[in-house]
């Protein structure tokens, strides 16, 4: 899914992409809260804007860096490589995670500044309780399962739309509101707004997200097999497809149903040939 870009360019894509994501999430939350006092309506608006923005950002930056935008996604990619699949090396994972965290903080500050708020003010909305942490485990595990599952069945092109749809749903079906992103969670603590989270709530949320990432990997392995097995299966499918193309090139009539012409020197039976048929008078 990623192009052969240098690590600095990929890190820049992760930083800008994560910053853009936080601008969308926090900015739409601020806008919604200013336009309506109904929390449900505000959440609907914030959900749609966040999902659409996330899908667009993944589509735009995916071919460059993979558009992880999330340290948990990066760590699962690193683990997949350690298990023999495709993914990031240790140094790349560290650079990605640092870029995502910096981008998330920058995006939160920019969103507040854009709406005339004092940038960099820590959130005061405390989000604690075991039920919320369970929600974060579920939200993050589902996100990892969606990404890993689509990659292992050879359908990575569906990831932008699938991830956007999943996050839109998870915002509503999880008790925590589906932060599901350690960098995004840290960034949202820098904005005292509708989508903010108080700094004292960060340790529990981040820990729950890491647990959810591990659970998601386990589920992906149980359901779709290891990364190495999925990679081998994809290679076999590619070999079969290549062999089929060779057959088509060598024996085109085998697929198209074309009838080979007469052998050299052979005459049509009773003079019935395509030329005569074309000019035959219809009585």
């Amino acid at each position: 899914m990623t192009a052969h870009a240098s690590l600095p360019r990929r890190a820049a894509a992760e930083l800008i992409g994560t910053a853009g994501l936080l601008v969308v999430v926090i900015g739409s939350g601020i806008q919604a809260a200013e336009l309506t006092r109904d929390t449900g309506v505000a959440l609907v608006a914030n959900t749609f804007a966040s999902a659409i923005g996330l899908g667009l950002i993944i589509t735009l930056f995916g071919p460059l860096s993979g558009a992880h935008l999330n340290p948990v996604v990066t760590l699962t990619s690193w683990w997949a490589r350690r298990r023999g699949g495709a993914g990031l090396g240790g140094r790349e994972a560290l650079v990605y995670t640092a870029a995502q965290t910096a981008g998330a903080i920058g995006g939160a500050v920019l969103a507040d500044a854009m709406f005339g708020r004092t940038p960099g003010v820590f959130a005061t909305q405390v989000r604690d309780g075991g039920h919320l942490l369970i929600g974060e485990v579920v939200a993050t595990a589902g996100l990892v399962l969606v990404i890993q599952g689509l990659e292992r069945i050879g359908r990575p092109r569906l990831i932008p739309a699938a991830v956007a749809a999943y996050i839109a749903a998870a915002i509503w079906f999880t008790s925590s509101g589906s932060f599901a992103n350690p960098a995004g969670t840290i960034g949202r603590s820098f904005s005292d707004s509708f989508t903010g989270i108080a700094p004292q709530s960060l340790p529990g949320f981040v820990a729950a997200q890491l647990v959810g990432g591990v659970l998601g990997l386990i589920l992906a392995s149980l359901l779709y097999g290891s990364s190495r097995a999925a990679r081998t299966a994809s290679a076999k499918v590619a070999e079969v497809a290549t062999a089929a193309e060779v057959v088509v090139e060598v024996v085109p009539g085998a697929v198209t149903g074309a009838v080979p012409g007469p052998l050299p020197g052979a005459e049509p039976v009773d003079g019935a040939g395509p030329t005569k048929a074309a000019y035959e008078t219809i009585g």
Side-chain angles (χ1 to χ4, degrees):
M1 187 177 177
T2 60
H4 296 289
S6 64
L7 181 57
R9 286 182 62 194
R10 286 182 283 148
E14 287 296 307
L15 187 149
I16 296 170
T18 310
L21 175 60
L22 267 291
V23 168
V24 171
V25 172
I26 295 176
S28 63
I30 294 173
Q31 184 80 288
E34 290 181 353
L35 293 175
T36 179
R37 294 180 179 275
D38 190 319
T39 303
V41 173
L43 185 58
V44 169
N46 180 237
T47 298
F48 275 104
S50 299
I52 293 170
L54 176 58
L56 290 173
I57 290 170
I58 296 175
T59 301
L60 180 62
F61 293 102
L64 183 60
S65 68
H68 294 186
L69 315 175
N70 185 336
V72 169
V73 177
T74 295
L75 289 174
T76 57
S77 176
W78 167 77
W79 180 252
R81 179 166 176 172
R82 285 180 57 88
R83 302 296 294 176
L88 298 178
R91 177 170 171 269
E92 292 173 309
L94 287 174
V95 172
Y96 267 47
T97 300
Q100 292 155 1
T101 304
I105 295 173
V109 171
L110 176 58
D112 275 342
M114 186 168 59
F115 282 89
R117 301 164 62 92
T118 303
V121 175
F122 287 118
T124 57
Q125 187 173 356
V126 177
R127 300 175 188 262
D128 55 14
H131 65 291
L132 296 182
L133 300 184
I134 293 173
E136 275 302 282
V137 171
V138 172
T140 312
L143 175 62
V144 171
L145 180 59
V146 168
I147 296 172
Q148 288 290 316
L150 289 173
E151 286 183 347
R152 296 184 189 202
I153 63 176
R155 295 185 177 179
R157 292 178 181 272
L158 298 179
I159 288 177
V163 168
Y166 173 78
I167 290 298
I171 288 174
W172 284 88
F173 75 70
T174 61
S175 58
S176 63
S178 184
F179 283 52
N181 183 338
T185 305
I186 293 171
R188 286 162 72 164
S189 71
F190 282 81
S191 175
D192 190 16
S193 61
F194 180 75
T195 59
I197 177 172
Q200 59 263 41
S201 301
L202 289 180
F205 265 60
V206 172
Q209 290 156 3
L210 294 176
V211 171
V214 173
L215 179 60
L217 277 176
I218 293 173
L219 290 174
S221 296
L222 289 174
L223 293 172
Y224 303 105
S226 66
S227 298
R228 181 178 300 174
R231 193 175 180 183
T232 301
S234 298
K236 289 182 178 179
V237 170
E239 289 177 2
V240 171
T242 302
E245 290 177 0
V246 171
V247 170
V248 172
E249 291 177 0
V250 175
V251 191
V255 177
T256 62
V259 179
L263 296 174
E267 294 295 334
V269 179
D270 296 330
T275 303
K276 180 179 179 181
Y279 290 94
E280 191 173 34
T281 303
I282 300 176

